[in-house]
Amino acid sequence: MPFPHPMGMFPGMGMGMGMPGGMPGGMPMQAAPAAAAPAAAPAADAAPAEDAAPAEEAKKEKKKETYIVKLVSYEVAKKINVVKEIRAVTALGLKEAKEFVESAPKVIKKAVPAAEAEAMKLKLEAAGAEIALE
């Protein structure tokens, strides 16, 4: 004799029934509100796209407020001075700063305020490094 199906153990539950009490198996779908939302979305997207163009032009006119300071290269004769400045700027240990300088080009810091980035660039260039502000 084969093993009985578990649904046969419960009285009043036929094989075709999904949930107890004869409730249908799934939730009814509400298609009308879902169809209306995508139709309204393109109209809403068009207005911000028009406003974005003047905003981009204004951003280009303004000077950047934050920079990414990147070590591009360094003078081999001044490597020790560059390592010292990198240690001061990044608070790395001697070994980590040396490896950092040797692995140039590499980002030193991200999101640096403009005044601080310029000061950092001048210090590192005086030590013998080539710095790029992005």
Side-chain angles (χ1 to χ4, degrees):
M1 184 168 169
F3 188 76
H5 192 274
M7 292 299 292
M9 295 179 177
F10 301 104
M13 298 283 295
M15 292 296 283
M17 297 270 181
M19 296 187 71
M23 294 176 61
M27 294 290 293
M29 298 298 290
Q30 295 179 349
D45 290 342
E50 294 169 3
D51 295 338
E56 289 176 13
E57 291 174 13
K59 287 180 184 178
K60 289 179 184 177
E61 292 173 7
K62 289 183 181 179
K63 191 172 182 181
K64 289 179 71 173
E65 295 178 11
T66 60
Y67 289 95
I68 297 173
V69 181
K70 185 175 183 179
L71 173 66
V72 179
S73 65
Y74 61 93
E75 294 177 32
V76 179
K78 297 183 177 183
K79 179 179 175 180
I80 295 171
N81 293 334
V82 174
V83 170
K84 287 180 183 178
E85 285 299 323
I86 291 292
R87 284 188 69 196
V89 169
T90 60
L92 292 174
L94 180 61
K95 180 182 176 190
E96 291 85 6
K98 180 180 177 281
E99 290 172 354
F100 185 91
V101 170
E102 290 172 348
S103 66
K106 198 163 184 176
V107 173
I108 299 171
K109 280 191 174 183
K110 294 181 180 178
V112 181
E116 187 180 332
E118 288 294 331
M120 192 183 307
K121 180 179 179 181
L122 291 175
K123 283 182 185 178
L124 289 164
E125 285 179 344
E130 184 181 334
I131 303 297
L133 297 179
E134 299 174 354

